[in-house]
Amino acid sequence: MSDQAPLPPNTYDAEPIPEAARDAIDAMLLSGDLFRYTAPQDAPVALLEREFAALMGSKYALAVSSCSAALFLSLKALDLPRDARVLIPAFTFAAVPSSVLHADCLPVLCEVGANYRIDLADFESKLDDDIRAVIISHMRGHTSDMDAILALCDARGIPVVEDAAHSLGTRWHGQNIGTLGRVGCFSFQSYKLVNAGEGGIMITDAADLVARAVIMSGAYEHNWAKHMAGDDPELAAAFARWQNRLPLYNLRLSNLGAAIIRPQLAEIPRRVRNGRANHDYVAARLNESPWLDVPPPLAPEERAPDSIQFNLVGMDDAATSAFAAAAAARGVKVQVFGQSADNARAFWNWRFIPGDVPELPQTREMLMSACDTRLPARLKRPELDLIASALLDAAEEVMGPAAQYGT
Ligand SMILES: *Cc1c(COP(=O)(O)O)cnc(C)c1O
């Protein structure tokens, strides 16, 4: 590499927040009206909930402090008994088993395959009479076979919570991810498609479930009334049913967060379109290498990626480390999920789960060779080429020119 070679972009830089957020924030700073329940109606958080529900095509939305809070409240709102077992994928973020423990439940881990999706045979074998709920993490937007999963869960009457933290904009058979299960949860943390620093939201069509979640999120006294948009006798009855009967966890979103999120909702289609095009372009280039493999999407799936995952082919642990170092030397950060110390997506690091760490050989094998590189939607073709070339060159540096091996 010559000293003049342009370096790939910093993929951790965020996009600027749309200008429109400034006026709303300025007005809020002048009035000091930051709490969602101060205004009699139409507080920014309430407007965000209405807009997000409409955007996703769901009946109700509840904005909260994080996606982790949304997952926790979803489980609490399902009214599961203490120590209920909740089936989750073994490839997910540590926040998922954590939310299960917070809700006084016990996580059961199922295998995930080399394509980052739930292994259906293992899922079905673990979906026994003890499982009271399922959380499906659409990790980095990779959607497991939701037709099969919903059929298995529906047949047993087991509710499905979708962890769509990092999958906003993804579709399955044309339907928005997060609207397939009983509840869908999203994140507005800075590394997700919509960035408010922190924040989350849950969506559902179930009036009783959302009423419980609203109250537990911190709608004390009659603040739940500010969640009623128009006439909804079913929701009103649910609030009346649960009044004073649930603990308050106070996981609310502030008006400031909503003001930062709302103008970004209009940006989602562009970010999804560009993210997908960027991903597919880089995927095609990486798949030219015999050492790199980007698994294809499932047929019903349209992803909204802001990163790319690929498997290393024929590289042992030493070669894998050498590949990551060679990519880093070219300015591209590659994270091999299972190889970095204390990675929060490696199940063996979730030692806060009671009992022994389960053995999940298939998931472990995937985590030891799956690479993760950020690919934000704002990148342009020359930047994508720099990233793709850096990865291809790094693989060749470690494994030798492809042609030599006759592939
Ligand atoms: C980011 C993320 C979460 C947690 O979201 P927070 O808003 O930070 O709590 C949960 N699950 C997945 C798959 C994520 O990517």
Side-chain angles (χ1 to χ4, degrees):
M1 253 186 354
S2 89
D3 289 344
Q4 278 76 42
L7 275 176
N10 181 348
T11 54
Y12 287 82
D13 288 347
E15 270 190 41
I17 304 301
E19 190 66 33
R22 297 225 181 137
D23 295 340
I25 292 168
D26 262 355
M28 233 178 264
L29 295 182
L30 279 173
S31 68
D33 185 9
L34 303 177
F35 181 51
R36 68 165 298 166
Y37 293 133
T38 301
Q41 60 193 22
D42 295 341
V45 179
L47 295 176
L48 166 66
E49 288 168 342
R50 244 174 273 162
E51 290 159 359
F52 196 82
L55 184 74
M56 300 302 287
S58 55
K59 240 172 132 176
Y60 307 111
L62 170 64
V64 288
S65 53
S66 68
C67 181
S68 302
L71 291 166
F72 160 74
L73 284 173
S74 298
L75 295 174
K76 294 302 284 184
L78 286 170
D79 208 4
L80 305 173
R82 181 171 282 271
D83 292 338
R85 285 147 51 92
V86 178
L87 189 57
I88 67 171
F91 175 42
T92 184
F93 187 58
V96 173
S98 303
S99 72
V100 176
L101 291 173
H102 279 313
D104 296 319
C105 298
L106 293 169
V108 177
L109 275 47
C110 85
E111 288 269 33
V112 170
N115 66 352
Y116 322 128
R117 291 165 177 88
I118 286 170
D119 179 280
L120 284 173
D122 195 54
F123 180 83
E124 185 169 4
S125 79
K126 287 180 174 154
L127 199 68
D128 60 21
D129 292 342
D130 283 348
I131 298 294
R132 303 297 293 264
V134 164
I135 300 180
I136 301 296
S137 270
H138 307 297
M139 272 301 271
R140 298 288 200 273
H142 300 290
T143 312
S144 295
D145 184 343
M146 290 304 288
D147 297 347
I149 287 168
L150 291 170
L152 288 167
C153 292
D154 286 350
R156 292 163 177 77
I158 299 173
V160 173
V161 175
E162 287 181 82
D163 167 18
H166 211 147
S167 303
L168 182 56
T170 298
R171 288 164 180 254
W172 179 258
H173 289 300
Q175 191 181 336
N176 286 319
I177 282 291
T179 65
L180 305 167
R182 186 82 59 89
V183 198
C185 301
F186 298 85
S187 175
F188 300 124
Q189 185 266 344
S190 285
Y191 295 158
K192 320 293 166 140
L193 199 76
V194 169
N195 162 26
E198 301 281 4
I201 199 162
M202 55 191 276
I203 55 175
T204 183
D205 288 342
D208 191 74
L209 188 149
V210 82
R212 287 174 56 85
V214 162
I215 291 173
M216 286 189 278
S217 76
Y220 59 93
E221 296 166 354
H222 291 174
N223 280 315
W224 49 257
K226 293 176 181 172
H227 291 261
M228 302 275 305
D231 194 33
D232 189 338
E234 204 191 346
L235 187 60
F239 282 130
R241 191 159 49 243
W242 295 111
Q243 180 78 57
N244 298 344
R245 289 177 175 274
L246 296 168
L248 306 174
Y249 296 100
N250 287 10
L251 300 165
R252 295 173 300 251
L253 187 70
S254 97
N255 281 339
L256 216 43
I260 293 171
I261 294 163
R262 289 180 62 216
Q264 291 183 65
L265 298 183
E267 306 285 319
I268 293 173
R270 174 187 58 81
R271 291 180 187 173
V272 168
R273 200 168 51 240
N274 294 351
R276 188 181 300 149
N278 287 355
H279 173 277
D280 292 352
Y281 177 75
V282 173
R285 285 207 55 198
L286 299 191
N287 277 334
E288 287 165 13
S289 165
W291 319 117
L292 307 178
D293 177 47
V294 184
L298 301 186
E301 183 184 357
E302 286 174 88
R303 293 186 50 217
D306 59 7
S307 62
I308 188 164
Q309 289 71 47
F310 53 95
N311 294 322
L312 301 177
V313 181
M315 293 196 203
D316 59 15
D317 286 357
T320 300
S321 301
F323 168 74
R330 290 167 170 81
V332 176
K333 183 161 183 266
V334 173
Q335 170 181 252
V336 183
F337 291 110
Q339 302 242 355
S340 63
D342 302 325
N343 193 293
R345 293 151 210 87
F347 63 85
W348 52 87
N349 290 326
W350 306 337
R351 290 173 51 191
F352 49 83
I353 298 179
D356 294 332
V357 175
E359 210 22 76
L360 295 146
Q362 209 185 318
T363 309
R364 181 182 287 271
E365 192 184 333
M366 178 275 286
L367 288 167
M368 294 311 280
S369 86
C371 297
D372 184 33
T373 295
R374 286 176 57 78
L375 215 54
R378 64 181 158 74
L379 298 188
K380 298 283 178 282
R381 195 52 72 87
E383 299 170 306
L384 300 173
D385 277 324
L386 284 170
I387 291 172
S389 299
L391 295 172
L392 290 164
D393 292 350
E396 198 167 298
E397 180 184 310
V398 172
M399 302 299 282
Q404 215 172 292
Y405 292 77
T407 45

